[in-house]
Amino acid sequence: MRVTPQPVRRQVEERLREAIITSRFMPGEHLSDRMLGDVFGVSRGVIREAVRLLEAEGLIKVVPNRGPFVAFLSAAEATQVYEVRAVLEALAGQGFAERASTEEIAELREVFEELAATRPGTDRMVLLNLKRRFYGVMLRGCRNAYVARMLDQLLNRNSQLRATTLSDPKRLPQTIAEIRRIVEAIERRDPGAAWAACREHVHQAAQVALRILNQQARDEAAQGLEVALD
């Protein structure tokens, strides 16, 4: 079977998205055409097209006369993202409980057991990759292409917050317990319980993420005051 190579622009788009999601490029970092061209080894035209597409996803913000930057997620924006994510994730869990194959349910359990075996202090990218695998199985098995597409984009949008909350030693055991309830509801083929467990998981994640964002805002405000008083 012949494998058709992806267009260069698509490859750059995916690699740039991955670099932002995994915090290789941090919020607020300037993504100049020259720097990205050197990193990915492509022309500025290809870079600009990839940037335009990721701007539409909310991962990049283009500032007039300054260029593209990795987008920040404010507390207000995060609140909206988590509200929508809660509904989409609940739909995915419900659909998975109703329509996933026995093999897919076993695969979901296998990924969960890998996550459950981790301990506080585990590298946050390891944790994030496990969560991405978990959602990959769920989105495939829920058999709803619209939910899968929209939820995947939202998870990309707040991936850096997810990595931060997952690496919190106090949050990790809670995350594992919440996901265990999701998996057990799915294994019982209980769509209502899967819906409720998914919504509760997102609700708890939102509380942690918003606490982090609000603390960051307070710290930045305090630093600004210190500079003003110097």
Side-chain angles (χ1 to χ4, degrees):
M1 179 179 177
R2 182 178 180 183
V3 178
T4 303
Q6 289 184 327
V8 173
R9 191 273 303 160
R10 179 65 180 275
Q11 294 179 39
V12 172
E13 173 197 338
E14 292 183 352
R15 290 172 63 194
L16 179 55
R17 182 185 294 108
E18 184 75 9
I20 293 172
I21 290 172
T22 59
S23 301
R24 178 181 177 184
F25 297 138
M26 299 296 292
E29 186 170 347
H30 185 211
L31 303 174
S32 70
D33 291 349
R34 176 177 294 180
M35 183 272 288
L36 292 178
D38 290 342
V39 169
F40 297 117
V42 296
S43 68
R44 290 188 177 186
V46 172
I47 291 296
R48 288 170 181 170
E49 179 65 13
V51 165
R52 184 184 66 79
L53 292 167
L54 296 189
E55 181 187 15
E57 293 182 13
L59 293 175
I60 289 176
K61 180 178 179 60
V62 177
V63 180
N65 302 319
R66 296 185 61 198
F69 293 79
V70 179
F72 281 100
L73 192 64
S74 68
E77 291 171 323
T79 298
Q80 296 174 48
V81 166
Y82 278 108
E83 286 176 354
V84 177
R85 177 185 158 191
V87 176
L88 291 173
E89 195 160 318
L91 283 170
Q94 179 188 54
F96 195 92
E98 292 174 335
R99 296 185 285 271
S101 67
T102 301
E103 292 75 18
E104 286 169 330
I105 292 176
E107 185 180 359
L108 195 74
R109 164 61 75 169
E110 182 180 345
V111 177
F112 165 71
E113 292 297 344
E114 288 187 51
L115 178 63
T118 62
R119 294 292 180 267
T122 300
D123 183 84
R124 69 175 189 169
M125 294 316 304
V126 171
L127 296 171
L128 185 57
N129 285 333
L130 284 170
K131 280 296 293 289
R132 290 173 68 185
R133 285 174 54 199
F134 183 88
Y135 282 114
V137 177
M138 182 181 286
L139 295 182
R140 173 169 24 97
C142 77
R143 305 287 190 273
N144 187 321
Y146 293 97
V147 167
R149 183 163 57 248
M150 289 186 287
L151 182 54
D152 186 58
Q153 185 169 329
L154 278 181
L155 292 173
N156 286 342
R157 183 69 182 89
N158 74 334
S159 59
Q160 290 165 335
L161 277 179
R162 289 169 59 221
T164 300
T165 58
L166 278 171
S167 61
D168 182 342
K170 295 180 181 179
R171 173 61 185 153
L172 183 58
Q174 297 172 352
T175 296
I176 292 171
E178 291 157 15
I179 296 176
R180 186 186 303 277
R181 287 192 285 272
I182 295 172
V183 173
E184 290 175 348
I186 285 169
E187 289 175 332
R188 296 194 306 270
R189 294 286 189 180
D190 187 337
W195 169 285
C198 285
R199 287 207 61 150
E200 178 61 17
H201 172 54
V202 177
H203 174 70
Q204 294 298 328
Q207 289 188 321
V208 176
L210 292 172
R211 185 170 67 246
I212 291 170
L213 284 174
N214 287 325
Q215 184 60 53
Q216 288 175 345
R218 288 191 292 270
D219 291 345
E220 289 171 3
Q223 289 174 1
L225 179 61
E226 289 176 2
V227 171
L229 293 175
D230 283 347

